Amino acid sequence: MRRLVMWDIDYTLLRGGGVTTRAWRAAFTEVTGKQWLATPLFGGRTDLDICAEVFARHEVTDCTPEAFFVRYVQHVRAIRHEFSEQGHLMPGVRDVLDRLGENPGVVQTLVTGNVPEVAAVKVAAFGLTGAFDAEVGGYGTDDSVRATLVRRSLERARAKYGESFAPVVIGDTVHDVTAALANGARAVGVATGRTKMADLALAGAHAVLPDLSDTDATVRILTT
């Protein structure tokens, strides 16, 4: 059985340098006409979940998430060059992706709280697009609950390839770990975000890494 390795993006693959936060604020003000009051915690959450919180906090009742996301994506695309200028890849990412890409027993995709268009912009900014089968990913428009994103990715992979996969989720937050466990997936935590290794382990991660700089160890954990 081949492995479906589901990558989180933010603080797992890369740091975006605050680009999407600025795009959120600008798009929100334009679409709703309201002044931005507070920035929510984004880590590990889906864009649908974040949008619901932002709308409630600002008492927005006459706008849909879908309408907001259209303008948000436009903003992100307009400043897409800032990802590579102000952000960076996490240690070891490129080497690990390349090594897994050489393994015929592995399909790599994205399971991220980002809407699919923004996910595509982020990985493209660092030349990573070819590493992933984005068609079988799970995205922040699929559901507000992250575990559903993992399930949808598995369903898409099975439908596209006509086979079952052994799922592996890798991410930097407790949300990534719990979403993996809810779907019977192997959960690999990486402490390159704001969550400590101990907390990822306590959440139930099967393996926890400080970062991805040890290519051999990372590939071994993701494939065995």
Side-chain angles (χ1 to χ4, degrees), residues 3-222:
R3 289 186 176 252
L4 182 66
V5 178
M6 306 172 180
W7 288 91
D8 171 55
I9 294 180
D10 297 296
Y11 291 91
T12 300
L13 291 171
L14 57 90
R15 291 187 65 173
V19 176
T20 49
T21 301
R22 293 192 293 276
W24 262 85
R25 292 175 178 175
F28 176 83
T29 299
E30 289 182 13
V31 170
T32 67
K34 291 179 177 286
Q35 181 181 358
W36 184 267
L37 300 177
T39 300
L41 293 175
F42 284 86
R45 299 173 64 189
T46 68
D47 277 355
L48 274 176
D49 183 34
I50 296 166
C51 197
E53 178 184 334
V54 170
F55 279 16
R57 174 70 176 81
H58 294 81
E59 299 181 344
V60 174
T61 58
D62 57 351
C63 181
T64 65
E66 293 76 17
F68 166 74
F69 289 147
V70 169
R71 190 69 185 113
Y72 167 56
V73 168
Q74 291 172 344
H75 270 279
V76 170
R77 286 174 171 163
I79 58 174
R80 61 197 309 159
H81 60 281
E82 295 183 10
F83 284 110
S84 58
E85 295 171 355
Q86 301 178 26
H88 60 82
L89 283 181
M90 291 303 189
V93 163
R94 202 176 299 278
D95 289 340
V96 171
L97 293 178
D98 288 347
R99 183 79 67 81
L100 291 175
E102 296 169 355
N103 188 336
V106 173
V107 172
Q108 299 184 87
T109 192
L110 301 167
V111 170
T112 171
N114 291 281
V115 301
E117 297 90 345
V118 172
V121 169
K122 287 183 176 181
V123 297
F126 296 93
L128 303 180
T129 302
F132 308 107
D133 184 345
E135 290 183 350
V136 302
Y139 301 98
T141 47
D142 285 327
D143 198 86
S144 60
V145 178
R146 195 170 184 106
T148 305
L149 277 55
V150 175
R151 178 173 58 81
R152 291 293 293 122
S153 179
L154 268 171
E155 291 171 349
R156 288 169 178 146
R158 289 168 182 157
K160 178 174 180 176
Y161 291 96
E163 62 185 280
S164 295
F165 287 87
V168 182
V169 173
I170 178 165
D172 67 290
T173 72
V174 168
H175 296 292
D176 299 294
V177 174
T178 56
L181 299 178
N183 287 276
R186 179 170 175 77
V188 178
V190 56
T192 43
R194 296 181 175 87
T195 308
K196 298 178 180 178
M197 292 181 70
D199 292 328
L200 292 168
L202 284 172
H206 298 96
V208 180
L209 295 162
D211 58 36
L212 305 181
S213 58
D214 188 334
T215 304
D216 291 339
T218 303
V219 170
R220 183 169 61 251
I221 286 169
L222 291 173

